[in-house]
Amino acid sequence: MRRQRIGSLEVSALALGTLPFGKWVDDRTSFAIMDRFAEAGGTFLDTSNNYVFWDGGTGDESELAVGRWLAARGNRDAMVLATKVGARPLTPGTGLDNAEGLSGDTIRRAAAASLERLGVDHVDLYYSHIEDRSVTLEDTLGGFASLVREGKVREIAASNHATWRFERARAVSRANGWPAYAAVQQRYSYLRPRPNVTLPEGGHVHMTDELLDYAAAEGDVALVAYSALLAGRYRDKPLGQEYDHPGTTRRLEVLHQVAAELGATVNQVVLAWLLRQDIIPLVGATSVAQLEETLGALEIKLDDDQVDRLDSAA
Ligand SMILES: NC(=O)c1ccc[n+]([C@@H]2O[C@H](COP(=O)([O-])OP(=O)(O)OC[C@H]3O[C@@H](n4cnc5c(N)ncnc54)[C@H](OP(=O)(O)O)[C@@H]3O)[C@@H](O)[C@H]2O)c1
């Protein structure tokens, strides 16, 4: 599988999300999915210290499942492990309005707990999962810097951040001689929600044109796109009202045309479109068959005319 860079890390061009593992997907299936991903050359695994805290979960489940797989396969060094901090509710049964946040002390405590659950001595990429404007960026970035210094974390990144906050955080890191965020993980796919619509998934922040422009100008900010498959809504689930606008009709029309031309699925064209922009799709799968379809996207070559048609449908 092709590789991308996130700071000093080399990661696979596709990342595998593990959110449902240990909770909705049992070890037998989740191990088979991770085995197939690794066999295909995938290295970049994404989890969090809060998957999944809702629906009666604690938030420990996904990290524990990934930890069990790494221990069973003995392949920790072959994988690039990413986890997140900041969006775990302080009390089980509560939500993001009661999240742990991003103080330096919280970050250090949460990292120790994640390392324990994953059964590893370091994670490769550590994200701030959501913003916490109640603490200073110096406190947050100083906390991350101490973890990098101690070798518990190799690179840091942010998720669900406004572009200006991401830029300010990087400026604070640079001013202090600390490691800076090397990647941003936001929601992104080919279909775009209506401007200013509230996304039904609490906490999701969409990639903006401004962020894409910022990353292109900086040159050292990797983009990771979650929910690139719209959680299955390109296939068998209805699109939410947030995608109910004329641009969706036009984009779906081109998407289906291009898929037919290539003998590919719509999911694969969406992923190929992201890959061509050097954006890392962070995909979920609850069966090996779903992952097989995703892996097929790596074989798709969009020509310039197809990219033009896809890009110009708005
Ligand atoms: N930073 C954040 O705030 C944030 C937020 C959300 C997610 N994430 C990360 O991103 C990862 C992926 O998120 P996501 O699950 O929303 O992304 P996604 O890749 O858009 O959706 C994956 C889901 O789509 C369905 N699917 C996938 N392939 C399919 C296929 N070939 N046919 C039919 N259905 C298919 C499956 O749902 P069914 O099992 O229902 O069929 C699968 O669980 C997560 O695991 C997590 O690591 C991060």
Side-chain angles (χ1 to χ4, degrees), residues 103-153:
S103 75
D105 285 345
T106 298
I107 290 170
R108 283 184 286 269
R109 258 199 318 273
S114 284
L115 294 179
E116 173 88 33
R117 282 190 289 273
L118 287 161
V120 299
D121 62 4
H122 73 281
V123 291
D124 299 289
L125 187 62
Y126 202 32
Y127 287 96
S128 49
H129 201 160
I130 53 175
E131 288 192 28
D132 178 3
R133 297 190 185 183
S134 74
V135 296
T136 63
L137 285 168
E138 282 75 8
D139 191 10
T140 298
L141 277 307
F144 279 121
S146 67
L147 292 172
V148 175
R149 232 177 3 253
E150 291 163 17
K152 294 178 177 158
V153 166

Side-chain angles (χ1 to χ4, degrees), residues 16-20 46-47 51 84 129 159-160 185 203-204 226-232 235-237 267 282-286 289-291 293-294:
L16 179 67
T18 65
L19 179 149
D46 186 271
T47 183
Y51 292 162
K84 314 186 189 81
H129 201 160
S159 185
N160 300 309
Q185 181 183 131
H204 280 202
Y226 69 77
S227 299
L229 301 176
L230 298 182
R235 288 191 64 117
D236 39 18
K237 294 180 198 142
N267 274 350
L282 166 52
V283 288
T286 52
Q290 289 182 352
L291 180 63
E293 181 181 345
T294 288

